[in-house]
Amino acid sequence: MRSKKNKGGEGRDDRNSSRGRGDSSSRGKDSSGRRSSDRGGSSRRSGGSDRKGSPKSAKALVLEAFSNSPDTVYTERSLCRRLGVTDKKGRDQVNSILHALVKENKLLPIDDDKYMMNLKVDIITGRVDLANSKYAYIVSEGREDDVRVYREHLKYAMDGDTVKVEVSPTVRGGRQEGVVIEVLERSRTELVGIMQLSKNFGFVVPDFKKLYFDVFVGERGLNGATSGDKVLVKIVEWPSKPDKNPTGEVIRVFGPAGENEAEIHSIMAEFGLPFEFDEAVEEEAESISDKITEAEIAKRRDFRDVTTFTIDPADAKDFDDALSIQKLENGHYEIGVHIADVTHYVQPKTILEKEAFHRATSVYLVDRTIPMLPERLSNGLCSLRPNEEKLTFSAVFELDENGKLYESWFGRTIIYSDRRFSYEEAQERIETGEGDFVEEINILNGIAKKLKDKRFKNGAISFETVEVKFKLDEKGRPLSVYVKERKDAHKLIEEFMLLANKKVAEYVFNLGRGKKRPTMVYRTHGQPDPEKLSTFSLFARKFGYKVDPDGDISEELNNLTEEIEGKPEQSVLQNLAIRTMAKAKYSTEPEGHFGLAFEHYSHFTSPIRRYPDMMAHRLLQHYLDGGKSEDKEAYEERCRHSSEMEKRAADAERASIKYKQVEFMKDTIGNQYKGIVSGVTEWGIFVEIEENKCEGMVRLSDLNDDYYELDSANYRIIGRQNKRIISFGDEVLVEVKSANLADRTIDLELVQTLKK
């Protein structure tokens, strides 16, 4: 190894996890339990149990028995008889359910062993979760079961709105129903849709297919929009009667539906993403000096003479992490994970700080990035470009060649990057053993593999999401679709970012005990939900794989990963497995990360594109300086906001991918492809095309050989006369029938079933 002379995940573990396949949009019952829409076209792919299509829970069956005879008094014995429960285990379960329903005030206890329905009307406050264009679920904190409200009783409440609901005591279809009596808070009043114009007025048909109303726009509110334009409409008047339409005004015209700029801009508006930075934000960014003073250098550990480089995608413009490596006298290696020191430049209470918090994350659409910070910072001051001195915040580790960790150090540093590698260039050095910095890269790769092996030995989950990528022409049109392959160079970077994130979290956690532990921003990931896991095991069984929901979950899922490697169903099953798990989120509670098998984990390694990393930097430096614990509730509120914005960004990214997939498939009408049935609904079957991971729908109405019906319990459709069965997971041959850019849907025709 050479040394430098004479010079004065999840880290990335989930950088791309949200950039998988997109959603589409058709409504109906989905046998996988996901909620979908009914305006036609292809909808969300199947992925784990949800509310619809799943067998009723034992609790729902008990409640429904009382609801069907609300004036009847049951004993535990008579109820078991009515439900057909004869074994001791079943009777014990009924007993515990009865006590739970009494505690929830849904049943009234009479004497010692008698119960009846509590007919008192309940008023709850909750959030609207639109299931489809027919009804919504009201999710209320502290209430185990959601309440169903049909659209005529929603008072024009939309997805995400906070409402007050009068809950009926009776149960239908295993669920209580209700009526919205007041919309307390609207999550948004602006919608994206297509203008349908008449002589002096128009209606905007929302892109969001679960929405159950169009928006009326009078002549004065058209703002120059013409029929077929994608527009952003602001609702200015909500009707008092359920048979009227809300009134709106067009505030932005994106252009004709189907054009790239119109569609991408409409996706940005649909998810509330910003189009540009305010002038004041840009001015503040431009005013920051790029000079690094001697006084600033004196405060930092100097790594300018240590071999350092970055490894990033070939088209990356911001380089927020670098690795350094040098061999120590004892034979170990000192490896530095150097992260752009964003919080040196973005100070609290500045306009830049407020903007970074508001955006919370960069968003990666197919053809553009919507950055969290202005270009002056993200591509300039904070980008660790080669042959430039840069200010960094670092985690430095002493490791041996087997990945054993001896020492850790955290603090502010200054670096000088010798080389900017693309992943492909780094991979070439791993595979050929030739090229500059080949020794350093291969030492790092060897240690990274040891770290990875230890993670999996400790119970980490080895699922990797499929990342769909596009080759675009100069006008943004997709020329090809392909699945990004993750090689050793990607995993090398990921492992060292994971190590830094983990050790930063552990360091802060270990500074105190119990309630005296200092406030920190953690990245947490809970255990899988047992019910969802059981449903997933049924899915896996359809493919011939065994997943024991009562076994060691990590081991079971990792064994499944090995078995499905390279199989047609790999993508579908991995996506379903991921959906069984809890969603990762930001929190001040050190709850651990199940997927990574880390007791404590944070996000430290990407402050250019994630606000939680900026919070982690500030907190870590505060504690390194001997500061006391910061206000936990204030940081928890920022964590909640960051988690919400992360989800919004992921949804927007999926929408842009789906749009480009549909645009690509528009030029393949009549082509035939092998695919796998990835979901079944009452409207049709979803098929994921093997070659490019695009997903479309074969409508049941287009299956002319029989009348097919949904068998939701077994994830399949069955011909009424010929008894032909098409199941989730079947391999099929399909022909592309149509691709609708406006609806982001792909319609397929079933040519034949290839294999069960």
Side-chain angles (χ1 to χ4, degrees):
M1 287 181 60
R2 71 177 183 83
S3 63
K4 288 161 59 175
K5 296 179 181 177
N6 305 321
K7 283 200 184 77
E10 56 256 1
R12 301 191 190 181
D13 63 315
D14 65 358
R15 171 176 290 189
N16 298 317
S17 65
S18 64
R19 282 182 263 166
R21 300 174 310 173
D23 293 347
S24 47
S25 49
S26 82
R27 300 182 177 169
K29 297 179 198 170
D30 186 323
S31 77
S32 68
R34 67 177 182 221
R35 282 165 274 162
S36 45
S37 60
D38 64 6
R39 282 191 184 171
S42 56
S43 176
R44 297 190 179 188
R45 59 189 179 279
S46 164
S49 175
D50 199 342
R51 299 181 178 100
K52 292 283 288 178
S54 301
K56 292 176 188 172
S57 67
K59 192 174 185 180
L61 289 170
V62 169
L63 195 57
E64 192 163 10
F66 279 95
S67 181
N68 290 338
S69 306
D71 297 323
T72 302
V73 175
Y74 286 105
T75 64
E76 184 180 319
R77 179 179 295 180
S78 63
L79 181 65
C80 286
R81 192 162 53 244
R82 180 184 176 95
L83 295 173
V85 175
T86 58
D87 61 314
K88 184 178 185 305
K89 184 179 178 182
R91 288 193 296 272
D92 289 343
Q93 186 180 16
V94 169
N95 179 273
S96 64
I97 290 171
L98 287 170
H99 284 89
L101 291 173
V102 168
K103 193 173 181 180
E104 293 169 19
N105 210 28
K106 292 176 183 175
L107 294 183
L108 293 174
I110 301 171
D111 298 330
D112 289 336
D113 186 36
K114 295 177 182 176
Y115 306 86
M116 71 175 292
M117 192 83 180
N118 185 354
L119 297 177
K120 183 182 176 182
V121 172
D122 194 12
I123 304 292
I124 65 166
T125 297
R127 178 181 53 79
V128 176
D129 183 3
L130 277 178
N132 49 47
S133 63
K134 297 182 179 68
Y135 56 82
Y137 293 104
I138 309 303
V139 183
S140 182
E141 197 171 323
R143 184 185 177 94
E144 184 178 335
D145 298 319
D146 302 336
V147 176
R148 181 163 44 213
V149 177
Y150 285 89
R151 69 181 182 187
E152 58 267 27
H153 301 308
L154 275 169
K155 278 190 177 291
Y156 294 95
M158 296 189 290
D159 206 59
D161 289 355
T162 302
V163 294
K164 187 181 287 186
V165 177
E166 184 179 277
V167 183
S168 167
T170 58
V171 178
R172 188 167 64 174
R175 190 173 301 280
Q176 285 184 280
E177 294 177 359
V179 174
V180 171
I181 55 177
E182 186 181 356
V183 178
L184 299 174
E185 183 181 350
R186 293 196 180 273
S187 61
R188 63 184 306 172
T189 57
E190 297 174 1
L191 298 171
V192 174
I194 296 179
M195 174 62 73
Q196 292 184 349
L197 206 58
S198 295
K199 187 176 181 182
N200 297 316
F201 63 88
F203 284 93
V204 175
V205 181
D207 283 355
F208 185 46
K209 303 307 175 186
K210 294 179 184 178
L211 207 57
Y212 51 97
F213 58 79
D214 300 332
V215 181
F216 172 81
V217 180
E219 187 175 13
R220 292 183 179 179
L222 292 173
N223 197 18
T226 59
S227 255
D229 278 348
K230 273 287 179 77
V231 299
L232 180 64
V233 62
K234 181 179 179 64
I235 297 173
V236 295
E237 184 181 339
W238 298 94
S240 56
K241 296 180 180 179
D243 57 345
K244 302 290 184 182
N245 291 80
T247 300
E249 296 174 352
V250 173
I251 59 175
R252 195 160 191 152
V253 180
F254 299 119
E259 289 190 356
N260 183 71
E261 285 302 295
E263 293 296 336
I264 296 296
H265 281 152
S266 70
I267 288 170
M268 292 167 64
E270 179 183 343
F271 293 97
L273 302 177
F275 287 82
E276 60 273 314
F277 287 100
D278 289 342
E279 192 175 328
V281 177
E282 294 279 14
E283 286 177 358
E284 188 171 271
E286 291 298 329
S287 70
I288 300 174
S289 172
D290 61 356
K291 298 289 188 289
I292 300 175
T293 65
E294 289 300 321
E296 184 60 42
I297 293 172
K299 300 175 189 175
R300 296 168 177 265
R301 186 169 168 182
D302 195 339
F303 277 82
R304 288 175 293 178
D305 286 339
V306 181
T307 300
T308 305
F309 45 77
T310 60
I311 304 176
D312 288 281
D315 58 355
K317 294 183 176 65
D318 59 326
F319 316 125
D320 56 3
D321 53 69
L323 293 178
S324 69
I325 180 170
Q326 62 178 332
K327 193 167 187 177
L328 302 175
E329 291 182 2
N330 62 6
H332 298 163
Y333 296 96
E334 182 186 80
I335 296 172
V337 179
H338 305 287
I339 309 302
D341 193 357
V342 174
T343 55
H344 170 80
Y345 296 104
V346 181
Q347 292 292 317
K349 299 182 181 179
T350 60
I351 299 174
L352 277 168
E353 163 69 20
K354 290 175 184 174
E355 184 70 11
F357 168 71
H358 174 68
R359 296 190 176 210
T361 181
S362 295
V363 185
Y364 298 91
L365 304 182
V366 167
D367 66 341
R368 70 197 68 194
T369 297
I370 303 168
M372 183 179 77
L373 296 169
E375 189 172 335
R376 162 78 170 161
L377 288 157
S378 59
N379 294 0
L381 292 172
C382 298
S383 184
L384 309 183
R385 298 181 298 203
N387 306 314
E388 295 181 18
E389 293 182 352
K390 292 290 181 179
L391 300 181
T392 46
F393 204 150
S394 304
V396 183
F397 305 108
E398 181 183 336
L399 295 151
D400 64 21
E401 60 185 9
N402 293 314
K404 183 178 178 181
L405 178 64
Y406 294 88
E407 297 286 343
S408 301
W409 178 90
F410 309 100
R412 285 189 147 125
T413 54
I414 182 169
I415 67 165
Y416 181 94
S417 175
D418 296 285
R419 177 75 148 83
R420 175 266 202 268
F421 282 101
S422 67
Y423 281 119
E424 291 77 13
E425 290 171 330
Q427 186 65 31
E428 185 181 345
R429 279 145 186 79
I430 291 170
E431 292 177 359
T432 67
E434 297 178 357
D436 56 337
F437 297 98
V438 64
E439 184 183 359
E440 289 88 344
I441 287 176
N442 277 285
I443 290 170
L444 288 168
N445 187 49
I447 295 173
K449 287 187 173 183
K450 297 293 195 308
L451 293 172
K452 179 170 171 276
D453 290 344
K454 287 179 183 177
R455 274 200 305 116
F456 290 143
K457 188 176 179 181
N458 290 335
I461 306 295
S462 60
F463 279 150
E464 293 182 4
T465 54
V466 173
E467 185 182 353
V468 175
K469 302 287 284 184
F470 298 84
K471 183 179 180 183
L472 306 174
D473 67 13
E474 66 280 357
K475 293 184 178 179
R477 288 187 296 252
L479 301 174
S480 62
V481 188
Y482 61 96
V483 175
K484 181 179 176 181
E485 186 180 0
R486 273 171 39 86
K487 296 189 175 180
D488 283 349
H490 300 87
K491 297 171 185 177
L492 180 164
I493 289 294
E494 180 178 74
E495 286 305 321
F496 286 107
M497 300 305 128
L498 288 172
L499 179 64
N501 287 332
K502 175 187 176 185
K503 289 301 173 182
V504 163
E506 288 179 354
Y507 173 80
V508 176
F509 178 82
N510 290 325
L511 287 175
R513 291 187 178 181
K515 292 183 179 179
K516 293 186 178 181
R517 292 192 192 281
T519 298
M520 183 56 177
V521 171
Y522 295 98
R523 179 69 167 175
T524 66
H525 183 230
Q527 294 271 344
D529 178 84
E531 190 174 330
K532 286 185 177 180
L533 203 55
S534 295
T535 303
F536 174 69
S537 71
L538 293 175
F539 273 110
R541 199 177 301 163
K542 299 288 178 185
F543 292 88
Y545 301 108
K546 186 183 176 217
V547 176
D548 182 1
D550 297 320
D552 183 319
I553 302 307
S554 300
E555 187 176 334
E556 292 289 322
L557 292 177
N558 284 335
N559 288 340
L560 177 66
T561 302
E562 290 181 17
E563 290 184 69
I564 64 177
E565 181 74 35
K567 304 282 180 62
E569 61 269 20
Q570 179 180 357
S571 173
V572 171
L573 278 177
Q574 282 188 344
N575 276 290
L576 295 185
I578 289 167
R579 289 187 178 200
T580 68
M581 300 186 201
K583 300 295 182 187
K585 65 177 182 178
Y586 297 105
S587 175
T588 56
E589 295 297 329
E591 295 170 346
H593 198 294
F594 170 77
L596 295 172
F598 290 159
E599 286 188 25
H600 309 296
Y601 187 65
S602 184
H603 268 176
F604 171 80
T605 53
S606 292
I608 286 178
R609 65 183 185 87
R610 292 187 306 221
Y611 186 75
D613 301 57
M614 290 177 59
M615 290 194 282
H617 279 217
R618 285 207 178 99
L619 289 169
L620 176 58
Q621 186 60 55
H622 178 69
Y623 299 138
L624 288 170
D625 292 338
K628 295 182 179 179
S629 181
E630 293 281 25
D631 182 355
K632 185 173 182 178
E633 185 49 47
Y635 272 91
E636 183 61 34
E637 182 57 40
R638 293 177 209 171
C639 285
R640 281 194 289 269
H641 171 72
S642 297
S643 296
E644 289 168 6
M645 295 303 290
E646 177 188 45
K647 182 183 182 304
R648 182 181 296 187
D651 290 342
E653 289 166 13
R654 280 194 292 269
S656 78
I657 289 168
K658 183 62 184 182
Y659 168 69
K660 285 300 172 189
Q661 287 177 319
V662 175
E663 188 178 14
F664 174 74
M665 295 302 288
K666 184 169 63 73
D667 295 326
T668 67
I669 307 298
N671 289 5
Q672 294 186 357
Y673 296 94
K674 284 184 180 180
I676 188 165
V677 176
S678 54
V680 288
T681 76
E682 64 180 347
W683 306 102
I685 61 173
F686 295 93
V687 176
E688 181 189 89
I689 295 172
E690 190 177 313
E691 180 180 314
N692 53 36
K693 304 303 176 186
C694 296
E695 187 181 58
M697 173 184 269
V698 177
R699 298 173 186 273
L700 298 194
S701 58
D702 289 340
L703 296 175
N704 299 321
D705 62 321
D706 201 351
Y707 181 84
Y708 285 81
E709 295 176 322
L710 175 68
D711 175 12
S712 60
N714 292 296
Y715 321 111
R716 62 187 184 178
I717 57 171
I718 304 175
R720 184 180 287 178
Q721 302 298 328
N722 61 19
K723 303 302 179 186
R724 181 187 182 192
I725 295 173
I726 302 173
S727 299
F728 181 94
D730 284 355
E731 289 187 59
V732 293
L733 185 67
V734 293
E735 184 174 307
V736 182
K737 186 179 175 185
S738 66
N740 188 320
L741 285 170
D743 287 341
R744 299 175 207 152
T745 60
I746 300 166
D747 279 336
L748 305 171
E749 186 175 325
L750 182 65
V751 178
Q752 68 181 101
T753 303
L754 300 176
K755 189 173 69 174
K756 292 286 183 184

